[in-house]
Amino acid sequence: MKLLNSILIPGISLCLVSFAFSCTTPEKTQQVDYVSYVDPYIGSGGHGHVFVGASVPFGAVQLGPQNIHKGWDWCSGYHYSDSVLIGFSHTHLSGTGCTDLGDVLMMPFTGEIRTKRGEQNDIAGSCSSYYKHTDETVIPGYYAVKLKDGIKAELSATERVGIHRYTFPASKEPHVLINLKEGNGDHAYETYLKKVDEYTLEGYRFSNGWSPRHKVYFTMKCDKPVKELLVYNDDEAAGEGELTGQGVKGVIVFGNAPEGVILKVGISSVSCANALDNIRQELPHWDFDEVKQEARHKWNQELSCIHIDTKDERARKIFYTSLYHTCIAPTLYCDVNGEFRGHNDSVYTANNGTNYSTFSLWDTYRALHPLFTIIKTERVDDMVNSMLGIYDQQGRLPIWPLVGGETNQMPGYSAIPVIADAYLKGFRGFDADRAFAAVTSSATHPGQNGVPFVLEKEYIPCDKVGEATSIAMEYAVGDWGISQMAKKMGKTDEYKTYLKRGKYYTHYFDKDINFIRPKTDAGEWATPYDAFRSVHGGRGYFCEGNGWHYTFFVPQHPEGLIELFGGDQEFTTKLDSLFEVSGDMGAEASPDISGLIGMYAHGNEPSHHVVYLYPYAGQQWKTAEKVRFIQDQFYTDQPDGVIGNEDCGQMSAWHIISALGFYQVNPSNGMFVFGSPLFDKATVNLPQGKTFTVIAENNSKENIYIQSVRLNDQPYDKSYLLYEDIMKGGTLTFVMGNTPNKSFGTAPESRPHTTE
């Protein structure tokens, strides 16, 4: 399988130009302004936690407004409910449940010199400002706001450079505060700021936060001369020109009181010199509007990978906003010369590709990365190589890596199914032997939480390790992927070992109560046991879930789970009850458990495959009705239109791929199970000019059930589709109706399955 990122351009680092290789699109879709369908406010309210601001697809810079950090719902630095801005920072998270970044915070202000940030209920005498949404403009690649004091701030970006255009009220002395103390929930431990010349500043911000070690160097170029740079230890004056300290702030004083100023800020994990080089290479000019238009062009190119036909403009907006959300992270993490700072604080060079970070793997291995293998094929190898690079730096594959640091957030070793899936689908832009060594080493690493118990007992005792049962269930998913990778590579012994480990979920199934149940070190069932109860924070049996959720958490081997229940009827009866039961999860339940239908929780990732389990038992129609309900109820065009944390694109990826009519249940086998297509027609633009078109005949809000299917105009009786069928190009046609065709996909040979 030849992929786009194998193309080399002599003399130019792929790290610089990788963004240019987006989907190959037909001429007609190139003319569509997909950006006009995107509403970045969707998910900025409620618990969506999405980034709002200016960026380009997968860029290192996410330049956007920052509120005072008030808690969990400000994980991205911005929440729709807020009305106070403390500045514009160059790095943000999007959709996470933890908070960090917010680096290189800048705030334009007028009048007397001051540095105070402002407090939640008192911004008097500070540099902070009130704002209204009616005074904001939010478009992919561009953000603008008119502050209450009359300043207009406009932001745009390239991959590694943020550009600011500030227009100040006439006759008021303009200034810009550079606040290196402030992040978004992290703690700066060393900062530096210096005026290099009258047009150039440089500095850095080193911090500890969710990412244990995070270093951002920057260089700033001004289009107007800087008369003075006043420097401060927090709010204490410390002279001018240069300062190093724990919380440095600086105030730019301009000569001749310009009414407008443009600032370019390049960032780097390596050095101020690299940050300056990023500016010189990516943004040598001062035309703000050109940057804005180029960012829009990049987003249109990225979003053109799927073209939908629908009369429902609301649904179109939700779909393309979701697609936009899937292209914010992972984030570019290397300079134009390929250099980046690794997890061991050493500097590396990505010579043959693009290095990425910000992998929310526990979330994104389920749908986002399988989606990338279809619509972002040119990026897959580089993402895998980035993970393998982290393995070299820290001795284990990443869990949740964030710009140079390992957060170790969430259970499992979720890079493994991503790597296995890529290999099994034919991606060969990475060293397979190196990748296999990394996945097996990580799956046996003594420092991996609970792995020594897996090796010794085949299960993780709940009285020895917090969240033991969900950790072990996640490991089984990864182990299954390793087994299939080993099988394809001809490694028979490893195949047998990891296939056995992939079935360790059976050790937790209590047939007396038909639930997954924690087990103690003595080999006994945990008692008492309430399948409804959930305890958050690493002290319970499960991570962000309960016994109901994890009873169905066997995406790698649904047939085995069905067998444990005693057959199709017993399984579907229990699965039906998941969507109907109600119970008390307790006061310590995770806030991530949201979007409830009975005990099904769409706002949290462990549930995402569950609605697609019915076809394994011959009842595809039940999946169809539940998928449509979720699409209609849990994805809206409002600020709270994402039912849970967006989680770096996973919540949106579920919507996108489900809207096409299918979903990859097993994250490492390339089998996409049918649900209910949302649009009359959707065309996926594939490499080498191919297209895969999904048509839904007689589609409507009432006609949600699949009556029959044709693949390339030939009758097709299976309730699933293979990855290779998609990537060959062609047409998949669903004929829809308002009543279930209960015979569709019923025959055992028509059902999705797992090849051992």
mmCIF file of all heavy atoms in Angstrom, residues 120-144:
data_model
loop_
_atom_site.group_PDB
_atom_site.id
_atom_site.type_symbol
_atom_site.label_atom_id
_atom_site.label_comp_id
_atom_site.label_asym_id
_atom_site.label_seq_id
_atom_site.Cartn_x
_atom_site.Cartn_y
_atom_site.Cartn_z
ATOM 1 N N GLN A 120 -11.528 36.599 39.476
ATOM 2 C CA GLN A 120 -12.782 36.122 38.896
ATOM 3 C C GLN A 120 -13.898 37.151 38.990
ATOM 4 O O GLN A 120 -14.625 37.373 38.033
ATOM 5 C CB GLN A 120 -13.202 34.826 39.586
ATOM 6 C CG GLN A 120 -14.469 34.217 39.009
ATOM 7 C CD GLN A 120 -14.713 32.835 39.571
ATOM 8 O OE1 GLN A 120 -13.836 32.204 40.127
ATOM 9 N NE2 GLN A 120 -15.938 32.349 39.417
ATOM 10 N N ASN A 121 -14.040 37.798 40.123
ATOM 11 C CA ASN A 121 -15.139 38.735 40.308
ATOM 12 C C ASN A 121 -14.679 40.192 40.396
ATOM 13 O O ASN A 121 -15.449 41.069 40.774
ATOM 14 C CB ASN A 121 -15.925 38.372 41.573
ATOM 15 C CG ASN A 121 -16.531 36.986 41.497
ATOM 16 O OD1 ASN A 121 -17.130 36.630 40.491
ATOM 17 N ND2 ASN A 121 -16.356 36.194 42.551
ATOM 18 N N ASP A 122 -13.390 40.420 40.038
ATOM 19 C CA ASP A 122 -12.875 41.786 40.153
ATOM 20 C C ASP A 122 -11.744 41.975 39.155
ATOM 21 O O ASP A 122 -10.624 41.530 39.369
ATOM 22 C CB ASP A 122 -12.361 42.037 41.577
ATOM 23 C CG ASP A 122 -11.794 43.444 41.746
ATOM 24 O OD1 ASP A 122 -12.086 44.304 40.887
ATOM 25 O OD2 ASP A 122 -11.059 43.662 42.721
ATOM 26 N N ILE A 123 -12.027 42.654 38.054
ATOM 27 C CA ILE A 123 -10.980 42.923 37.075
ATOM 28 C C ILE A 123 -10.607 44.410 37.059
ATOM 29 O O ILE A 123 -9.845 44.853 36.205
ATOM 30 C CB ILE A 123 -11.393 42.470 35.668
ATOM 31 C CG1 ILE A 123 -12.577 43.305 35.146
ATOM 32 C CG2 ILE A 123 -11.709 40.992 35.640
ATOM 33 C CD1 ILE A 123 -12.852 43.060 33.676
ATOM 34 N N ALA A 124 -11.137 45.165 38.018
ATOM 35 C CA ALA A 124 -10.812 46.594 38.085
ATOM 36 C C ALA A 124 -9.313 46.786 38.276
ATOM 37 O O ALA A 124 -8.677 46.116 39.093
ATOM 38 C CB ALA A 124 -11.577 47.254 39.231
ATOM 39 N N GLY A 125 -8.726 47.686 37.508
ATOM 40 C CA GLY A 125 -7.310 47.982 37.616
ATOM 41 C C GLY A 125 -6.405 46.920 37.034
ATOM 42 O O GLY A 125 -5.193 46.961 37.228
ATOM 43 N N SER A 126 -6.973 45.967 36.314
ATOM 44 C CA SER A 126 -6.184 44.889 35.722
ATOM 45 C C SER A 126 -6.074 45.094 34.217
ATOM 46 O O SER A 126 -6.620 46.043 33.653
ATOM 47 C CB SER A 126 -6.842 43.535 36.006
ATOM 48 O OG SER A 126 -8.004 43.375 35.209
ATOM 49 N N CYS A 127 -5.394 44.169 33.569
ATOM 50 C CA CYS A 127 -5.319 44.175 32.106
ATOM 51 C C CYS A 127 -6.441 43.360 31.479
ATOM 52 O O CYS A 127 -6.558 43.314 30.253
ATOM 53 C CB CYS A 127 -3.980 43.618 31.642
ATOM 54 S SG CYS A 127 -2.562 44.612 32.124
ATOM 55 N N SER A 128 -7.252 42.698 32.275
ATOM 56 C CA SER A 128 -8.342 41.872 31.762
ATOM 57 C C SER A 128 -9.474 42.740 31.236
ATOM 58 O O SER A 128 -9.549 43.934 31.532
ATOM 59 C CB SER A 128 -8.862 40.942 32.861
ATOM 60 O OG SER A 128 -7.818 40.142 33.371
ATOM 61 N N SER A 129 -10.357 42.116 30.468
ATOM 62 C CA SER A 129 -11.444 42.881 29.863
ATOM 63 C C SER A 129 -12.689 42.024 29.738
ATOM 64 O O SER A 129 -12.613 40.811 29.534
ATOM 65 C CB SER A 129 -11.033 43.381 28.472
ATOM 66 O OG SER A 129 -12.101 44.061 27.840
ATOM 67 N N TYR A 130 -13.830 42.678 29.845
ATOM 68 C CA TYR A 130 -15.093 42.027 29.532
ATOM 69 C C TYR A 130 -15.262 41.938 28.020
ATOM 70 O O TYR A 130 -14.692 42.724 27.260
ATOM 71 C CB TYR A 130 -16.263 42.791 30.132
ATOM 72 C CG TYR A 130 -16.320 42.737 31.641
ATOM 73 C CD1 TYR A 130 -15.934 43.835 32.411
ATOM 74 C CD2 TYR A 130 -16.744 41.587 32.290
ATOM 75 C CE1 TYR A 130 -15.975 43.786 33.802
ATOM 76 C CE2 TYR A 130 -16.783 41.524 33.680
ATOM 77 C CZ TYR A 130 -16.401 42.623 34.422
ATOM 78 O OH TYR A 130 -16.432 42.568 35.787
ATOM 79 N N TYR A 131 -16.056 40.962 27.588
ATOM 80 C CA TYR A 131 -16.372 40.824 26.167
ATOM 81 C C TYR A 131 -17.744 40.164 26.030
ATOM 82 O O TYR A 131 -18.274 39.584 26.982
ATOM 83 C CB TYR A 131 -15.319 39.979 25.453
ATOM 84 C CG TYR A 131 -15.353 38.502 25.826
ATOM 85 C CD1 TYR A 131 -15.931 37.557 24.993
ATOM 86 C CD2 TYR A 131 -14.808 38.054 27.036
ATOM 87 C CE1 TYR A 131 -15.969 36.212 25.347
ATOM 88 C CE2 TYR A 131 -14.839 36.722 27.403
ATOM 89 C CZ TYR A 131 -15.423 35.797 26.544
ATOM 90 O OH TYR A 131 -15.471 34.477 26.901
ATOM 91 N N LYS A 132 -18.311 40.256 24.840
ATOM 92 C CA LYS A 132 -19.588 39.632 24.529
ATOM 93 C C LYS A 132 -19.429 38.755 23.292
ATOM 94 O O LYS A 132 -18.639 39.063 22.401
ATOM 95 C CB LYS A 132 -20.659 40.688 24.264
ATOM 96 C CG LYS A 132 -20.972 41.603 25.434
ATOM 97 C CD LYS A 132 -22.017 42.638 25.032
ATOM 98 C CE LYS A 132 -22.340 43.580 26.182
ATOM 99 N NZ LYS A 132 -23.327 44.621 25.774
ATOM 100 N N HIS A 133 -20.222 37.688 23.228
ATOM 101 C CA HIS A 133 -20.156 36.820 22.053
ATOM 102 C C HIS A 133 -20.603 37.550 20.792
ATOM 103 O O HIS A 133 -20.150 37.216 19.688
ATOM 104 C CB HIS A 133 -21.000 35.565 22.273
ATOM 105 C CG HIS A 133 -20.491 34.685 23.379
ATOM 106 N ND1 HIS A 133 -19.196 34.226 23.426
ATOM 107 C CD2 HIS A 133 -21.103 34.201 24.490
ATOM 108 C CE1 HIS A 133 -19.023 33.488 24.515
ATOM 109 N NE2 HIS A 133 -20.164 33.459 25.176
ATOM 110 N N THR A 134 -21.475 38.524 20.955
ATOM 111 C CA THR A 134 -21.913 39.295 19.788
ATOM 112 C C THR A 134 -20.778 40.123 19.199
ATOM 113 O O THR A 134 -20.869 40.576 18.054
ATOM 114 C CB THR A 134 -23.082 40.223 20.166
ATOM 115 O OG1 THR A 134 -22.709 41.009 21.308
ATOM 116 C CG2 THR A 134 -24.325 39.417 20.494
ATOM 117 N N ASP A 135 -19.705 40.309 19.965
ATOM 118 C CA ASP A 135 -18.542 41.051 19.478
ATOM 119 C C ASP A 135 -17.408 40.129 19.043
ATOM 120 O O ASP A 135 -16.298 40.589 18.767
ATOM 121 C CB ASP A 135 -18.031 42.008 20.564
ATOM 122 C CG ASP A 135 -19.013 43.135 20.848
ATOM 123 O OD1 ASP A 135 -19.678 43.593 19.896
ATOM 124 O OD2 ASP A 135 -19.110 43.547 22.022
ATOM 125 N N GLU A 136 -17.673 38.826 19.005
ATOM 126 C CA GLU A 136 -16.679 37.853 18.561
ATOM 127 C C GLU A 136 -16.964 37.398 17.130
ATOM 128 O O GLU A 136 -18.115 37.344 16.697
ATOM 129 C CB GLU A 136 -16.693 36.606 19.455
ATOM 130 C CG GLU A 136 -16.104 36.786 20.839
ATOM 131 C CD GLU A 136 -16.140 35.484 21.621
ATOM 132 O OE1 GLU A 136 -17.248 34.943 21.825
ATOM 133 O OE2 GLU A 136 -15.069 35.003 22.025
ATOM 134 N N THR A 137 -15.918 37.031 16.424
ATOM 135 C CA THR A 137 -16.019 36.311 15.153
ATOM 136 C C THR A 137 -15.164 35.062 15.287
ATOM 137 O O THR A 137 -13.969 35.150 15.584
ATOM 138 C CB THR A 137 -15.508 37.156 13.981
ATOM 139 O OG1 THR A 137 -16.253 38.373 13.907
ATOM 140 C CG2 THR A 137 -15.642 36.403 12.666
ATOM 141 N N VAL A 138 -15.781 33.903 15.095
ATOM 142 C CA VAL A 138 -15.084 32.640 15.316
ATOM 143 C C VAL A 138 -15.229 31.784 14.063
ATOM 144 O O VAL A 138 -16.317 31.318 13.737
ATOM 145 C CB VAL A 138 -15.652 31.892 16.541
ATOM 146 C CG1 VAL A 138 -14.819 30.659 16.841
ATOM 147 C CG2 VAL A 138 -15.696 32.803 17.764
ATOM 148 N N ILE A 139 -14.133 31.594 13.358
ATOM 149 C CA ILE A 139 -14.086 30.836 12.111
ATOM 150 C C ILE A 139 -12.829 29.973 12.160
ATOM 151 O O ILE A 139 -11.813 30.409 12.699
ATOM 152 C CB ILE A 139 -14.005 31.784 10.887
ATOM 153 C CG1 ILE A 139 -15.194 32.733 10.844
ATOM 154 C CG2 ILE A 139 -13.926 31.002 9.571
ATOM 155 C CD1 ILE A 139 -15.038 33.854 9.831
ATOM 156 N N PRO A 140 -12.834 28.763 11.621
ATOM 157 C CA PRO A 140 -11.581 28.004 11.572
ATOM 158 C C PRO A 140 -10.459 28.835 10.947
ATOM 159 O O PRO A 140 -10.591 29.356 9.845
ATOM 160 C CB PRO A 140 -11.942 26.800 10.689
ATOM 161 C CG PRO A 140 -13.398 26.582 10.967
ATOM 162 C CD PRO A 140 -13.970 27.971 11.101
ATOM 163 N N GLY A 141 -9.376 28.987 11.689
ATOM 164 C CA GLY A 141 -8.244 29.758 11.205
ATOM 165 C C GLY A 141 -8.278 31.229 11.538
ATOM 166 O O GLY A 141 -7.313 31.960 11.246
ATOM 167 N N TYR A 142 -9.357 31.695 12.189
ATOM 168 C CA TYR A 142 -9.471 33.136 12.474
ATOM 169 C C TYR A 142 -10.352 33.348 13.688
ATOM 170 O O TYR A 142 -11.410 32.729 13.835
ATOM 171 C CB TYR A 142 -10.077 33.854 11.274
ATOM 172 C CG TYR A 142 -10.342 35.335 11.480
ATOM 173 C CD1 TYR A 142 -9.290 36.248 11.553
ATOM 174 C CD2 TYR A 142 -11.644 35.820 11.587
ATOM 175 C CE1 TYR A 142 -9.531 37.619 11.721
ATOM 176 C CE2 TYR A 142 -11.904 37.178 11.751
ATOM 177 C CZ TYR A 142 -10.840 38.066 11.821
ATOM 178 O OH TYR A 142 -11.087 39.415 11.984
ATOM 179 N N TYR A 143 -9.882 34.235 14.570
ATOM 180 C CA TYR A 143 -10.674 34.643 15.726
ATOM 181 C C TYR A 143 -10.532 36.153 15.874
ATOM 182 O O TYR A 143 -9.436 36.712 15.712
ATOM 183 C CB TYR A 143 -10.188 33.959 17.007
ATOM 184 C CG TYR A 143 -10.875 34.476 18.257
ATOM 185 C CD1 TYR A 143 -12.069 33.916 18.699
ATOM 186 C CD2 TYR A 143 -10.345 35.548 18.981
ATOM 187 C CE1 TYR A 143 -12.716 34.394 19.836
ATOM 188 C CE2 TYR A 143 -10.981 36.036 20.107
ATOM 189 C CZ TYR A 143 -12.170 35.457 20.533
ATOM 190 O OH TYR A 143 -12.814 35.939 21.644
ATOM 191 N N ALA A 144 -11.641 36.830 16.171
ATOM 192 C CA ALA A 144 -11.603 38.270 16.414
ATOM 193 C C ALA A 144 -12.588 38.609 17.514
ATOM 194 O O ALA A 144 -13.613 37.951 17.685
ATOM 195 C CB ALA A 144 -11.956 39.045 15.144
#
